[in-house]
Amino acid sequence: MKQTSTLLDEVEGVVQGHRDGHGFVIRDDGEADIYLPPNEMRAVLHKDRVKARVVRSDRKGRPEGRVVEIVERSNQVIIGRLLCESGIWIVAPEDKRYGQDVMIPKAAISAAKVGQVVVVELTEPPALFGQPVGRIKEVLGDVDDPGMEIEIAVRKYDVPHVFSEACVAQARGLPDTVRPIDKHQRVDLTDVPLVTIDGEDARDFDDAVYCEPAKIGRGKSVVMGWRLLVAIADVSHYVENGSAIDIDAYERATSVYFPRRVIPMLPEKLSNGLCSLNPEVERLCMVCDMMISPDGEVTAYQFYPAVMWSHARFTYTEVAAILANTRGPEAAKRQDRVADLLNLHDVYRALLKSRERRGAVDFETVETQIVCDEAGRIEKIMPRTRNDAHKLIEEAMLAANVCSADFISQSKHVGLFRVHEGPTPEKVELLRNFLKVSGVPLSIGDDPSPADFQAIAKATKERPDAQQIQTMLLRSMQQAIYTPINSGHFGLAFEAYTHFTSPIRRYPDLLVHRVIKAILAKTKYQLPVLPTPGDAHAKLSKRLEKNLASRVAEPGQKPRKLSVDMQAWQAAGLHCSANERRADEASRDVEAWLKCKYMREHLGEEFGGVVSAVTSFGIFVTLDAMYVEGLVHITELGGEYYRFDEARQELRGERTGMRYALGSRVRVQVSRVDLDGRRIDFRLMPDSDGLVSRTATDSGRAGSLTGAETGRKRRSDPAAQAPKSSRDRAADGSKSRAKGAQRSSAAKASDSPKPKSRKPRRRS
């Protein structure tokens, strides 16, 4: 049974600041966070490690604490705007979780000017009666400089963005082309018409595909199926275990995608050159060669290193046009490859049958794309169309990833799996209540399956509140992680799943390639000595430990202690999982900044929208035409007391009975934009017609829906729903400010492998 904090408990943890001046101690033992009032935050800063004592419970029932010891000061730099007030130089932190301005002695200003964005290194920590003091370490420039939002984000989230000298030197020494010695003991596939299919703006091509009809079985049982080849860039051939490039790649763990810019995991010579499967050049690859039956089952597979020659570079738009009209102008230009594309489309439809039989979760959501001009300003925000070309590549990559996981499992070799567990009991109960009060005829049991979720989505797809029901289904799920302990992938309904298809941009994929090569060579892959995860990974580590404990067969039995080897793999998995989240947060932060700048030009304008989230402090509204989300604070809803009904996901006025629920249509005015806080505030207009009556709500018809998801998660994998969006965290004032300028409820750490673009691709 989970223990609760008692008075005078002394615990250790990391301080999490809040924009309103208070904070929390995120406890190492995973128990409830300890609330720190503003007076307790004077001597500490966000990310400091402290010991705290629980002294009381506040009016919300949260344990309230007092800092008794500062164990370790954070060495994180602070980014902010340089100001001069009454002759005193200060830096106002851009991240409002740092609740105090930093004083800068005049001698430590360097060449910075008033109003510029700077990076500050602390020289004196804060005290109860004194502000922190620092020196300017770097001048980033003026706040309106193109790309400033990215410069801020990479430092704010501590994203490595400069390769080490050793890494650069090693990359410089690599060849420009495939050498004869590199082809030794590889299958020659240069005559096989493998092709790449990616987004228009893709620059690194890490997968190529080819499909042909093939006979499966023998004698009278023979049937016609397909042979599907998925060729993946052989990054492990060039990035040696424990080398300078390897260490830098591990530190980054993933490429980070921003509008107009990418922070790559590997040096450009590798990511866009030597490893990228560019058209009409020889490239080294690892191949997953599969036989697929008419009903979409992989009946046999093999892995082998090869050398290939990409016969064409297609875009999704081009392939979709060819599939729609094989006699059209696009097909005429690519006549030699049309038959191959039709084979790919056929095997995709077979794989789709298998997905449906498994009951994999496949929700219809709208992804958005930010289109910027040369100066980095948003020109428009538009929905991203997902066609059959995206889907066929996605299914091909899923098949290769499943084969990789099976290959590692069958060999009994340790490796990293991509694990997505089912919803927690608390999330199950919340979802069950929501479905009940929404009038959904289906429900879920205590141990739901992916098919249960898919059945609910199908049964409600014609309802006007279908989008909101899917949002609640997604929110109930946990987030996918990398771990050597396989427990399956809930969203995709796979018993074992891993990441094999993107070693150019994901370190776990690189590790999987090394493990597969070791198995083929009948050896054992040994992880290099890698830095162990730090405080940023503590919560992930605790979650993994709890999951392990929950799988103990007998009551009172202790979980099996992990070997040294497994501990190293667990640390690598935690590191990659945490850095994946860091990349997602940095990308969302930049998008939120851009959307805020965009909406500053629309102050005072009115728009129609739909209620996309309901909290105790107000409603979030997503604008129909802009795909931007903002907050209507509860004080803007009228002069009465509104009660938040979590089960119904609505605010209800106690006096009038007026309700604001998910899916309500409203009309709002853009009233305020806070660029530093990444927040957009709306004012409700009196002609809003989206108030939900009791009858409509109780029957499950909560208004028409045209709101769009601005989350960047892929449809086929809801695995990254678990992390709360900023609006969820702000609901109880706990861990972060409400970022009204963005929406992260749908899905970021998604596990669908495609589509590729300059955004993170294939989060399978």
Side-chain angles (χ1 to χ4, degrees):
M1 182 179 292
K2 187 173 180 178
Q3 295 181 348
T4 55
S5 300
T6 58
L7 295 184
L8 303 181
D9 277 352
E10 194 170 295
V11 297
E12 191 167 321
V14 178
V15 174
Q16 179 91 27
H18 191 273
R19 63 172 298 166
D20 294 330
H22 59 264
F24 291 83
V25 175
I26 311 301
R27 297 173 53 158
D28 290 347
D29 59 12
E31 297 298 322
D33 301 342
I34 299 174
Y35 173 74
L36 296 179
N39 62 305
E40 286 294 322
M41 288 293 293
R42 290 177 187 164
V44 296
L45 286 175
H46 176 60
K47 293 189 177 181
D48 282 349
R49 173 167 285 278
V50 301
K51 283 185 179 178
R53 179 180 295 127
V54 178
V55 294
R56 65 175 66 87
S57 293
D58 70 1
R59 59 182 181 178
K60 295 184 179 180
R62 302 173 296 190
E64 183 176 319
R66 176 176 300 146
V67 174
V68 296
E69 181 184 346
I70 299 171
V71 178
E72 184 182 359
R73 291 288 187 180
S74 169
N75 59 2
Q76 178 78 32
V77 295
I78 297 175
I79 298 91
R81 199 94 59 92
L82 180 64
L83 305 172
C84 186
E85 297 180 353
S86 303
I88 298 174
W89 293 88
I90 62 171
V91 168
E94 193 276 339
D95 187 342
K96 299 307 177 186
R97 289 175 297 182
Y98 291 96
Q100 306 179 56
D101 294 337
V102 181
M103 297 183 65
I104 309 293
K106 192 169 184 179
I109 292 173
S110 185
K113 299 176 182 177
V114 172
Q116 287 187 316
V117 180
V118 297
V119 179
V120 174
E121 183 178 60
L122 291 185
T123 56
E124 294 180 25
L128 281 176
F129 303 103
Q131 288 177 261
V133 180
R135 69 175 185 88
I136 293 178
K137 182 180 179 182
E138 184 182 5
V139 179
L140 299 182
D142 294 325
V143 69
D144 290 323
D145 287 349
M148 179 55 64
E149 68 281 357
I150 298 175
E151 296 297 333
I152 291 173
V154 296
R155 291 162 179 82
K156 178 178 177 180
Y157 293 95
D158 200 21
V159 175
H161 59 287
V162 178
F163 287 107
S164 67
E165 292 182 8
C167 174
V168 172
Q170 190 174 37
R172 196 182 297 122
L174 292 171
D176 295 319
T177 58
V178 174
R179 302 165 300 185
I181 192 174
D182 298 325
K183 304 178 189 179
H184 184 56
Q185 293 185 333
R186 287 180 178 268
V187 178
D188 187 348
L189 294 181
T190 53
D191 60 336
V192 176
L194 287 152
V195 300
T196 60
I197 305 175
D198 296 90
E200 280 80 358
D201 54 357
R203 296 176 61 195
D204 57 331
F205 311 110
D206 47 16
D207 58 80
V209 291
Y210 170 73
C211 183
E212 64 184 15
K215 292 181 180 179
I216 298 177
R218 294 180 180 179
K220 294 182 179 180
S221 62
V222 68
V223 295
M224 288 303 297
W226 296 271
R227 181 190 181 197
L228 174 63
L229 272 66
V230 174
I232 305 298
D234 191 357
V235 175
S236 63
H237 179 83
Y238 297 105
V239 181
E240 296 180 0
N241 208 39
S243 65
I245 297 177
D246 192 33
I247 296 300
D248 274 31
Y250 174 77
E251 182 187 13
R252 297 178 178 220
T254 180
S255 296
V256 188
Y257 291 77
F258 301 109
R260 304 182 307 115
R261 183 179 170 188
V262 179
I263 308 293
M265 185 181 80
L266 298 172
E268 187 173 358
K269 184 169 184 178
L270 288 169
S271 59
N272 295 344
L274 192 56
C275 290
S276 182
L277 305 182
N278 298 328
E280 300 182 352
V281 292
E282 285 187 332
R283 286 290 183 258
L284 304 184
C285 60
M286 284 294 294
V287 177
C288 181
D289 193 338
M290 297 167 278
M291 300 298 289
I292 298 178
S293 69
D295 59 357
E297 297 299 321
V298 178
T299 61
Y301 66 82
Q302 62 176 327
F303 288 91
Y304 51 83
V307 57
M308 62 162 285
W309 173 284
S310 174
H311 284 58
R313 181 267 199 264
F314 285 101
T315 66
Y316 293 119
T317 304
E318 187 179 11
V319 170
I322 292 172
L323 294 177
N325 183 7
T326 56
R327 296 183 179 181
E330 293 84 0
K333 297 175 188 176
R334 304 278 199 162
Q335 198 59 48
D336 293 344
R337 303 276 73 83
V338 171
D340 297 339
L341 294 178
L342 291 175
N343 289 333
L344 281 168
H345 197 228
D346 288 341
V347 79
Y348 151 69
R349 286 185 288 204
L351 290 169
L352 203 58
K353 294 177 185 175
S354 177
R355 170 192 279 270
E356 291 170 354
R357 284 197 306 275
R358 294 194 320 270
V361 178
D362 189 8
F363 295 156
E364 290 290 343
T365 58
V366 179
E367 298 178 25
T368 58
Q369 177 182 9
I370 295 177
V371 179
C372 297
D373 60 19
E374 290 300 319
R377 296 173 57 189
I378 293 182
E379 287 186 337
K380 57 184 176 180
I381 303 172
M382 54 188 291
R384 188 187 294 274
T385 303
R386 189 170 177 273
N387 54 45
D388 271 9
H390 295 90
K391 297 174 185 177
L392 72 84
I393 289 296
E394 176 182 290
E395 288 300 328
M397 298 304 120
L398 290 175
N401 285 337
V402 171
C403 291
S404 304
D406 183 72
F407 192 57
I408 294 172
S409 297
Q410 296 296 331
S411 71
K412 309 298 183 185
H413 198 297
V414 183
L416 281 186
F417 294 94
R418 180 70 165 177
V419 168
H420 178 220
E421 297 185 329
T424 63
E426 294 81 9
K427 292 285 186 71
V428 166
E429 186 62 26
L430 182 63
L431 177 60
R432 190 185 288 137
N433 291 337
F434 173 79
L435 295 173
K436 181 179 180 181
V437 300
S438 298
V440 176
L442 301 177
S443 188
I444 56 174
D446 292 336
D447 187 20
S449 69
D452 296 334
F453 281 67
Q454 190 63 19
I456 293 169
K458 269 190 175 181
T460 58
K461 66 180 181 180
E462 300 300 328
R463 286 174 49 139
D465 58 346
Q467 185 80 41
Q468 275 56 50
I469 292 172
Q470 287 192 14
T471 297
M472 290 301 295
L473 291 171
L474 288 168
R475 286 182 187 172
S476 71
M477 297 184 189
Q478 298 191 56
Q479 189 166 16
I481 61 171
Y482 296 107
T483 170
I485 302 167
N486 176 43
S487 55
H489 196 293
F490 180 85
L492 296 175
F494 289 130
E495 292 183 3
Y497 187 72
T498 193
H499 276 168
F500 165 77
T501 54
S502 295
I504 290 178
R505 67 178 187 89
R506 289 189 306 223
Y507 196 81
D509 302 54
L510 176 57
L511 290 177
V512 167
H513 276 233
R514 289 172 176 168
V515 169
I516 289 174
K517 282 188 174 181
I519 297 170
L520 293 174
K522 295 181 170 54
T523 61
K524 182 179 179 182
Y525 172 65
Q526 187 65 45
L527 277 173
V529 178
L530 299 169
T532 56
D535 289 338
H537 317 89
K539 295 195 81 172
L540 279 172
S541 180
K542 290 297 177 185
R543 169 183 161 182
L544 190 58
E545 288 176 11
K546 287 185 177 182
N547 289 342
L548 276 173
S550 68
R551 296 192 203 107
V552 173
E554 299 295 332
Q557 180 184 349
K558 294 183 179 179
R560 179 171 55 90
K561 190 173 183 180
L562 297 179
S563 65
V564 174
D565 190 31
M566 283 290 283
Q567 287 177 14
W569 279 96
Q570 180 179 326
L574 289 170
H575 172 81
C576 293
S577 300
N579 284 12
E580 178 185 46
R581 285 146 184 71
R582 177 179 68 183
D584 293 344
E585 289 171 357
S587 297
R588 285 196 295 265
D589 192 73
V590 167
E591 290 186 12
W593 168 291
L594 290 171
K595 288 178 180 179
C596 284
K597 289 190 75 172
Y598 183 53
M599 293 308 293
R600 282 200 306 189
E601 301 173 5
H602 298 280
L603 279 170
E605 296 182 25
E606 295 182 19
F607 300 94
V610 64
V611 175
S612 47
V614 184
T615 71
S616 60
F617 55 87
I619 57 175
F620 283 87
V621 176
T622 298
L623 304 184
D624 293 338
M626 314 284 275
Y627 301 99
V628 169
E629 186 181 69
L631 172 69
V632 179
H633 195 268
I634 198 165
T635 55
E636 296 283 348
L637 297 181
E640 69 168 311
Y641 181 78
Y642 281 86
R643 186 176 298 278
F644 174 54
D645 188 330
E646 186 176 27
R648 296 176 183 268
Q649 289 292 295
E650 69 177 18
L651 285 175
R652 181 193 306 176
E654 288 198 340
R655 180 172 54 84
T656 63
M658 298 288 279
R659 300 182 181 186
Y660 297 89
L662 283 174
S664 300
R665 291 211 54 80
V666 294
R667 189 158 186 84
V668 296
Q669 180 186 56
V670 183
S671 61
R672 179 174 176 267
V673 175
D674 177 7
L675 190 61
D676 290 338
R678 312 290 194 271
R679 175 170 170 165
I680 301 170
D681 288 335
F682 295 149
R683 180 180 295 116
L684 196 67
M685 301 310 292
D687 59 341
S688 290
D689 58 359
L691 305 186
V692 182
S693 68
R694 179 181 301 272
T695 302
T697 301
D698 290 346
S699 65
R701 298 187 298 275
S704 63
L705 287 175
T706 57
E709 275 296 350
T710 60
R712 300 182 312 113
K713 215 166 151 65
R714 305 295 173 220
R715 310 163 55 220
S716 68
D717 177 24
Q721 298 318 310
K724 289 185 178 181
S725 66
S726 54
R727 71 165 82 87
D728 298 323
R729 292 192 298 267
D732 60 359
S734 62
K735 298 181 184 175
S736 174
R737 62 179 175 273
K739 296 179 185 174
Q742 67 173 23
R743 175 165 166 78
S744 58
S745 68
K748 170 61 200 82
S750 162
D751 286 344
S752 289
K754 284 276 182 176
K756 286 200 218 174
S757 70
R758 295 185 62 190
K759 290 189 154 203
R761 309 160 302 166
R762 296 199 308 270
R763 308 297 296 191
S764 320

